[in-house]
Amino acid sequence: MSRTFYVTTPIYYVNDVPHIGHAYTTLAADVLARYKKMQGYDVFFLTGTDEHGQKVEKAANTAGETPLELADRVVKRFQALWEKLNISYTDFIRTTQERHKKGVAHLFEQVMKKGDIYLGEYEDWYCTPCETFWTETQLIDFKCPDCNRPTEKLKEESYFFRMSKYQQALLAHIEANPDFIQPKSRRNEILAFVKEGLRDLSVSRTTFRWGIPVPGNDDHVVYVWFDALANYITALGYPEQTDKLQDFWPANVHLIGKDILRFHTVYWPTFLLSAGLPLPEKVFAHGWWTVEGQKMSKSLQNVVEPNMLIDRYGVDAIRYFLMREVPFGLDGDFSHSALVHRINSDLANDLGNLLNRSTAMINKYFGGIVQEPAELEDLDKVYRAKTEEMLRQVDGCMDDLAFSKALQAIWEVISAGNKYIDETAPWTLAKDPSRRERLGTVMFCVLESQRVVYTLLSAFMPDTAEKGLKYLGCDRKPTSDQLEWGCLQPGTKVTKAEPLFPRIEEKDDL
Ligand code: MSP
């Protein structure tokens, strides 16, 4: 039986067009999905769009469209960006799809049948951008404690979910599963929140229409977060007991931004507990990107548009930068100078140069043909051990979602490769015919190490990896059995590489 792996991104609101923050979560999920696929897992990678709720309704009104027209238009922008960013999702769910609406209605009914939903009245402070109610004590100067925008007092008849009933069960689950919420600082934050006690949660609205009707009471629509969170199971066919649902639920990891942690680690698990469904294995919250030191916002006109970046620097440079620059889980800053620096130093210099020099040398010395290696000398053994150690390190990092650290480990081997060439000095060996076998061995080592490097990089930079492997004469789809030393076959024809990443002059980049 094959091992399965289910990774999700948040589903994105369609009242906003995609920016670098959205691209970040989706990219991280893609890197993980590709890595797990390479390891032989049967991977289900889900993304999609969150199309209901007051926010979307308001945006559509402003744009003079129906909410569905707005959604249809914006969803194309998301899908086009994911294609351009080389995102290998398995399924794309839209909350306006029948399959989803059916699943949400069913989940709502299940929770109701359990006696966990009751009709009451709601009076509290509502933040429309966050689609969240707050008590007066939670407000800061009557503004939303999350986004600092004005809130309004709303009173409405509402269905409530008995979230309070699940406080102890949730607490016990978090305590028994130290990896359920990551990173650790986020786990502590949620533990403290849950310990303070959980209020029942309003899970329906009557003040607008754009949502899924509450089963049995059309005056209400289902609260947008109850609707949205259910996407993780409706995409698998819930409530039908499909093979997909059986194979992939519970999810291995929900990747999210830190701003939507509470919804994923308090609301969602308690809905699932009530419905008698297993909880996701892990919820990992990454940090937020600022831009040149400032919060990204429409009003500051500094929203980083990924399409433009990809056109300018290439998709893999952007993929590399986003995964390398900031440890996953921490906040980070996006700046053009940091991006250009990474491209020039890590990609053009370290990675590109190594491939260029080594493929040029084997062509010069052996007509591009990989030689049978002789017995390895100490320098070679150290280099090989370093390459093998990298495989273990990267594996551990990927389990921890430490993408930046994984790339760091890969780059150590790339630097070691450049150093290995300097130390073995193939140009000197080439002058001495009696050292021809040694020269062949040195070439073998430097090419074989890079073959392993590019195989690993296929999760991060799929196009670059494909190109690199092609130059190295390996054009098989990267799989885990190639993640070991010794797969490069003597007799393979290596092609002299063109620069993978041309250097960018800072002054060209204004
Ligand atoms: N629709 C909800 C999610 C429902 S999931 C069941 C939502 N959508 S969103 O479009 O507003 O945001 C989606 C994701 O983008 C969040 O994970 C959020 O953290 C991420 N980001 C938005 N801006 C960001 C940055 N500036 N930096 C990093 N990530 C950011 O919330």
Side-chain angles (χ1 to χ4, degrees):
M1 214 184 82
S2 72
R3 297 173 299 172
T4 61
F5 190 82
Y6 182 25
V7 54
T8 68
T9 74
I11 48 174
Y12 302 99
Y13 285 130
V14 287
N15 60 316
D16 202 359
V17 294
H19 58 61
I20 203 80
H22 306 129
Y24 186 52
T25 327
T26 304
L27 174 58
D30 185 60
V31 170
L32 190 61
R34 285 176 185 273
Y35 186 76
K36 289 288 175 184
K37 246 179 252 174
M38 179 160 61
Q39 300 255 293
Y41 283 82
D42 183 5
V43 172
F44 198 94
F45 166 15
L46 179 68
T47 190
T49 40
D50 191 351
E51 305 187 1
H52 290 129
Q54 195 167 14
K55 245 187 341 192
V56 175
E57 193 180 81
K58 277 190 178 167
N61 283 342
T62 313
E65 292 170 305
T66 66
L68 196 57
E69 281 166 354
L70 172 86
D72 284 344
R73 186 165 53 79
V74 177
V75 85
K76 288 196 192 101
R77 303 266 305 254
F78 276 98
Q79 287 170 336
L81 176 62
W82 300 153
E83 196 174 327
K84 197 159 171 164
L85 201 56
N86 234 335
I87 302 298
S88 60
Y89 59 78
T90 318
D91 197 358
F92 188 103
I93 189 154
R94 300 180 57 180
T95 55
T96 48
Q97 287 167 339
E98 268 324 301
R99 58 170 176 163
H100 177 73
K101 293 196 275 190
K102 212 177 80 196
V104 170
H106 187 89
L107 183 66
F108 202 94
E109 276 174 330
Q110 286 302 107
V111 176
M112 214 166 199
K113 267 193 210 149
K114 182 86 179 273
D116 287 342
I117 288 182
Y118 61 93
L119 191 60
E121 198 172 64
Y122 206 95
E123 187 174 15
D124 239 330
W125 296 88
Y126 194 64
C127 172
T128 307
C130 295
E131 307 268 19
T132 306
F133 272 107
W134 300 100
T135 60
E136 198 155 321
T137 50
Q138 288 174 313
L139 299 180
I140 300 170
D141 291 336
F142 287 93
K143 292 197 176 130
C144 171
D146 267 2
C147 72
N148 199 30
R149 281 179 280 209
T151 53
E152 49 183 332
K153 194 155 196 181
L154 289 185
K155 184 174 182 171
E156 55 175 308
E157 184 187 83
S158 170
Y159 286 96
F160 284 87
F161 167 62
R162 286 186 208 284
M163 198 156 75
S164 55
K165 180 175 153 189
Y166 293 96
Q167 184 203 357
Q168 285 312 321
L170 178 61
L171 201 56
H173 184 84
I174 301 174
E175 278 171 346
N177 296 278
D179 290 343
F180 176 49
I181 305 172
Q182 285 188 17
K184 213 173 174 162
S185 56
R186 301 286 163 212
R187 176 176 189 263
N188 293 338
E189 196 182 303
I190 293 298
L191 266 177
F193 177 80
V194 178
K195 279 181 184 158
E196 265 187 26
L198 297 180
R199 290 199 307 158
D200 288 351
L201 180 74
S202 164
V203 285
S204 77
R205 298 287 182 267
T206 52
T207 47
F208 62 93
R209 302 300 313 146
W210 183 236
I212 300 172
V214 164
N217 187 349
D218 279 2
D219 292 341
H220 290 249
V221 293
V222 173
Y223 172 46
V224 69
W225 274 99
F226 189 99
D227 168 344
L229 287 161
N231 90 89
Y232 300 131
I233 53 176
T234 60
L236 300 176
Y238 175 87
E240 269 18 283
Q241 283 305 308
T242 56
D243 289 350
K244 260 193 270 180
L245 190 67
Q246 312 253 342
D247 290 349
F248 292 105
W249 190 258
N252 296 83
V253 59
H254 291 320
L255 293 182
I256 58 165
K258 64 179 184 180
D259 53 318
I260 54 176
L261 183 67
R262 200 177 294 166
F263 301 103
H264 282 82
T265 56
V266 180
Y267 295 10
W268 179 225
T270 53
F271 299 160
L272 289 166
L273 285 170
S274 170
L277 293 165
L279 307 194
E281 218 168 86
K282 191 190 286 188
V283 178
F284 193 107
H286 64 68
W288 267 46
W289 286 91
T290 50
V291 176
E292 313 279 349
Q294 278 188 308
K295 193 173 175 223
M296 189 163 42
S297 87
K298 274 188 201 159
S299 53
L300 290 173
Q301 297 193 319
N302 66 346
V303 175
V304 179
E305 213 281 295
N307 282 292
M308 177 272 290
L309 284 180
I310 297 170
D311 290 341
R312 200 148 156 201
Y313 301 105
V315 58
D316 279 350
I318 302 304
R319 287 179 64 111
Y320 175 75
F321 178 79
L322 290 176
M323 291 294 98
R324 174 67 185 85
E325 185 68 4
V326 179
F328 203 60
L330 300 184
D331 291 337
D333 187 52
F334 182 94
S335 77
H336 282 270
S337 61
L339 173 60
V340 169
H341 179 75
R342 286 264 173 225
I343 294 176
N344 285 347
S345 106
D346 301 4
L347 300 180
N349 263 5
D350 300 342
L351 181 74
N353 264 353
L354 181 59
L355 188 71
N356 284 6
R357 346 165 43 187
S358 54
T359 57
M361 284 176 195
I362 187 142
N363 273 281
K364 185 163 170 200
Y365 305 140
F366 296 103
I369 304 299
V370 175
Q371 305 296 297
E372 182 82 50
E375 196 155 325
L376 300 192
E377 294 187 1
D378 283 352
L379 265 181
D380 317 335
K381 283 184 191 153
V382 170
Y383 184 31
R384 172 181 172 164
K386 218 173 160 60
T387 306
E388 288 173 333
E389 175 56 23
M390 163 188 73
L391 289 169
R392 281 186 291 277
Q393 274 176 323
V394 169
D395 217 35
C397 290
M398 296 306 272
D399 276 342
D400 297 342
L401 306 181
F403 303 110
S404 177
K405 227 168 135 189
L407 286 169
Q408 229 171 302
I410 298 174
W411 253 257
E412 273 171 30
V413 169
I414 294 167
S415 303
N418 278 315
K419 199 159 151 249
Y420 175 80
I421 293 189
D422 295 342
E423 286 172 354
T424 50
W427 47 89
T428 311
L429 295 175
K431 284 185 194 135
D432 180 352
S434 74
R435 315 267 357 240
R436 195 151 169 82
E437 194 183 52
R438 174 72 194 136
L439 179 62
T441 305
V442 165
M443 288 284 97
F444 178 90
C445 290
V446 76
L447 296 168
E448 174 58 348
S449 176
Q450 285 180 91
R451 189 196 56 75
V452 178
V453 159
Y454 282 96
T455 306
L456 270 185
L457 281 181
S458 65
F460 294 87
M461 304 196 283
D463 289 350
T464 304
E466 198 184 319
K467 272 192 221 161
L469 287 171
K470 221 176 193 156
Y471 284 127
L472 295 169
C474 313
D475 38 21
R476 274 177 51 201
K477 205 170 129 242
T479 51
S480 60
D481 58 348
Q482 293 155 62
L483 285 175
E484 59 184 33
W485 186 275
C487 295
L488 183 64
Q489 293 304 314
T492 300
K493 170 85 174 83
V494 170
T495 314
K496 188 167 177 276
E498 298 293 324
L500 291 175
F501 293 92
R503 280 186 68 82
I504 295 168
E505 294 302 324
E506 295 254 6
K507 63 177 172 15
D508 295 344
D509 191 53
L510 295 173

